[in-house]
Amino acid sequence: MSYTETIGSRTYRFADLKTLMAKASPQRSGDQLAGVAAASEEERVAAKMALAQVPLNTFLNEALIPYESDEVTRLVIDDHSPQAFAEISHLTVGDFRNWLLSSTTDADALTRITAGLTPEMVAAVSKLMRNQDLIAAARKRPVITRFRNTVGLPGRMSVRLQPNHPTDDVKGIAASMLDGLMYGCGDAMIGINPASDNLAAITKLLLMIDDFRLRYQVPTQSCVLTHVTNTIAAIEKGAPVDLVFQSIAGTEKANAGFGISLTLLQEAYEAGLSLRRGTVGNNLMYFETGQGSALSADAHFGVDQQTCEVRAYAVARKFNPFLVNTVVGFIGPEYLYDGKQITRAGLEDHFCGKLLGVPMGCDICYTNHAEADQDDMDNLLTLLGVAGINFIMGIPGADDVMLNYQSTSFHDALYVRDVLGLRRAPEFEEWLESMQITDARGALLSASPQQPLLEGANDWMGIA
């Protein structure tokens, strides 16, 4: 089905829904690289106007990537709930935007329709929204998950403590971990990107974190971000695996490039569940995504990069994840050129993930060859804090010495919590107070030799 829109004396024609979606996307370098972007701002406006008139039920009948050739499309269509969709089935994309922003649409309403939304519907409506719209609508939709603590409660924001090391040195990682904990970070998880996929090294890191967690009774969860097949192997060998990690994308071909399928993810999910390590819940999958991953694998099929990204959230949703992280600026300026594009993408990803019922966090980051700086990240950090982000990254000095990119620091987490009045996960908050790291209000206490976490820390690091 083709679509048209006239502006003045010029009529724009869009061959199909996939083309219309791409042309309606805000400007970004990845879509330009793929050759799917609007050729002018006028064409972009025409595409938005045409997209606003498309009925939501069109997305159930016109697949952007064929059902027969893509298992993600099959997942989206097969899992769609007509009952949940009924409440909004009469709306166009433009009407849906207005419904989302209405003062009468609350968290209960957004939760009711979640199973009736497809990624394409959500991506489409985001293309019609200003940044403030994305913030206002996402803020209405908390997504709460539980493992050893509770993440995503309104008024709270968690932090993934990321103590990476370029050689996986256990003492170096332990030192960064302790540093982050003393700043009150780590309630989302303690997550290490290993420099090596060696199973013995991965297991050593898992054992170190688990030893620390048990010794100090820390109500958090750990993850070593290795390929899911390595995690399955570690589980089979009895390693203390909490969260199961995998990078995912929005098409079957892109996921194949990651060496995964829905069947493999199901196997990993069941392996994680079999350990029964959660105490307050059993959300245990940790997924990372990022706009541009499908294009970089030549697996986008002419679909714009943001819509491909949102399709990845349907994959995530299938496995009841504890955390989903859009690593928004990590892939590089080829896909998100500058601070403005990174900011827009981060707000889009958070909004779209929340509408689909996914517990979204964001690695607010950029590579050193992007046209961005830490001021851009401060802006996005603040905007996402207002929008109700589930978690952000906590990295020593905001500079990851292993992955070689810029993100957010322990101090950045203190800033956004302070200015927006955001608190930590409740179980973690109580632990910090009991360890004399924070007071009852969550403010950091001055360091002193009496702090239990500091007592004996050198001895513990010596045996780690």
Side-chain angles (χ1 to χ4, degrees):
M1 178 178 176
S2 62
Y3 302 85
T4 62
E5 186 63 43
T6 300
I7 297 180
S9 60
R10 186 185 298 249
T11 297
Y12 290 91
R13 292 180 174 82
F14 308 98
D16 51 27
L17 187 57
K18 174 170 62 177
T19 302
L20 180 64
M21 294 271 282
K23 301 291 187 182
S25 295
Q27 184 178 17
R28 62 203 57 199
S29 51
D31 289 340
Q32 293 170 320
L33 180 66
V36 302
S40 67
E41 287 302 316
E42 184 174 280
E43 184 181 27
R44 182 171 289 112
V45 170
K48 289 177 184 289
M49 293 171 65
L51 182 60
Q53 301 171 51
V54 174
L56 289 180
N57 58 27
T58 302
F59 294 94
L60 300 174
N61 302 314
E62 188 175 344
L64 305 191
I65 301 175
Y67 181 95
E68 297 76 15
S69 60
D70 187 272
E71 68 173 3
V72 177
T73 300
R74 293 194 291 274
L75 170 67
V76 168
I77 298 301
D78 294 349
D79 282 7
H80 180 259
S81 169
Q83 293 76 25
F85 182 58
E87 185 171 347
I88 57 169
S89 61
H90 62 290
L91 300 178
T92 64
V93 176
D95 293 333
F96 185 39
R97 172 191 174 275
N98 295 338
W99 183 87
L100 289 170
L101 296 173
S102 169
S103 60
T104 60
T105 301
D106 57 12
D108 289 340
L110 293 174
T111 302
R112 283 198 307 271
I113 68 166
T114 297
L117 295 175
T118 69
E120 291 82 1
M121 293 176 193
V122 174
V125 76
S126 75
K127 297 177 191 299
L128 305 184
M129 301 176 88
R130 293 169 58 183
N131 286 2
Q132 67 173 247
D133 299 337
L134 298 173
I135 293 167
R139 186 175 175 83
K140 297 181 182 184
R141 180 53 167 106
V143 179
I144 301 164
T145 56
R146 297 175 173 88
F147 189 75
R148 284 199 193 91
N149 60 28
T150 306
V151 170
L153 291 166
R156 297 180 183 266
M157 184 201 72
S158 297
V159 176
R160 170 189 160 187
L161 205 174
Q162 183 171 303
N164 293 344
H165 192 279
T167 64
D168 289 341
D169 180 79
V170 173
K171 290 184 180 180
I173 289 171
S176 292
M177 182 177 71
L178 287 167
D179 187 28
L181 289 167
M182 295 305 297
Y183 279 100
C185 295
D187 49 341
M189 70 167 176
I190 299 170
I192 303 166
N193 298 85
S196 165
D197 271 339
N198 178 275
L199 187 57
I202 291 163
T203 301
K204 187 176 182 181
L205 294 176
L206 287 168
L207 289 168
M208 181 272 289
I209 301 176
D210 206 50
D211 173 69
F212 177 86
R213 180 186 65 81
L214 291 170
R215 179 175 297 218
Y216 291 99
Q217 298 182 314
V218 191
T220 191
Q221 35 285 319
S222 65
C223 185
V224 174
L225 282 66
T226 186
H227 192 270
V228 69
T229 53
N230 289 332
T231 303
I232 292 171
I235 291 172
E236 290 173 347
K237 291 183 177 296
V241 173
D242 288 344
L243 304 185
V244 177
F245 164 78
Q246 184 54 50
S247 293
I248 57 173
T251 72
E252 179 177 349
K253 183 179 177 182
N255 281 325
F258 286 134
I260 60 167
S261 65
L262 296 180
T263 299
L264 181 58
L265 291 177
Q266 182 67 34
E267 179 185 349
Y269 178 50
E270 292 174 1
L273 287 174
S274 72
L275 297 180
R276 301 181 181 276
R277 290 176 59 82
T279 56
V280 298
N282 61 0
N283 301 112
L284 56 80
M285 299 299 285
Y286 174 59
F287 294 117
E288 287 194 343
T289 68
Q291 290 193 27
S293 59
L295 174 58
S296 67
D298 191 26
H300 62 105
F301 303 100
V303 177
D304 68 270
Q305 70 179 34
Q306 189 242 346
T307 301
C308 283
E309 168 73 3
V310 184
R311 283 168 56 93
Y313 306 155
V315 175
R317 181 170 64 174
K318 178 70 174 176
F319 301 102
N320 304 311
F322 182 65
L323 307 168
V324 177
N325 181 27
T326 169
V327 193
V328 67
F330 183 73
I331 301 181
E334 299 82 4
Y335 307 97
L336 296 169
Y337 179 72
D338 57 14
K340 182 175 182 178
Q341 292 188 14
I342 292 170
T343 297
R344 174 69 189 191
L347 295 175
E348 287 171 348
D349 294 351
H350 177 249
F351 162 80
C352 291
K354 286 293 184 64
L355 248 62
L356 290 171
V358 171
M360 288 303 296
C362 184
D363 191 342
I364 301 160
C365 64
Y366 63 101
T367 57
N368 289 312
H369 63 311
E371 291 294 322
D373 58 28
Q374 211 65 40
D375 286 338
D376 295 310
M377 300 306 104
D378 286 349
N379 293 342
L380 180 53
L381 170 63
T382 307
L383 294 173
L384 286 171
V386 173
I389 193 81
N390 277 33
F391 71 100
I392 63 168
M393 300 292 110
I395 296 171
D399 184 1
D400 193 297
V401 296
M402 196 279 282
L403 294 173
N404 195 30
Y405 77 116
Q406 311 304 310
S407 185
T408 47
S409 70
F410 307 144
H411 301 80
D412 294 332
L414 291 177
Y415 148 74
V416 76
R417 282 175 168 151
D418 182 53
V419 298
L420 298 179
L422 299 172
R423 298 170 62 181
R424 301 169 180 88
E427 301 88 345
F428 193 78
E429 189 174 67
E430 292 175 8
W431 177 80
L432 289 173
E433 186 179 356
S434 73
M435 299 298 289
Q436 301 171 37
I437 296 172
T438 64
D439 62 19
R441 298 174 295 109
L444 292 183
L445 296 172
S446 298
S448 70
Q450 286 71 44
Q451 287 179 325
L453 189 61
L454 292 179
E455 291 179 0
N458 289 335
D459 290 339
W460 175 78
M461 288 176 61
I463 65 170

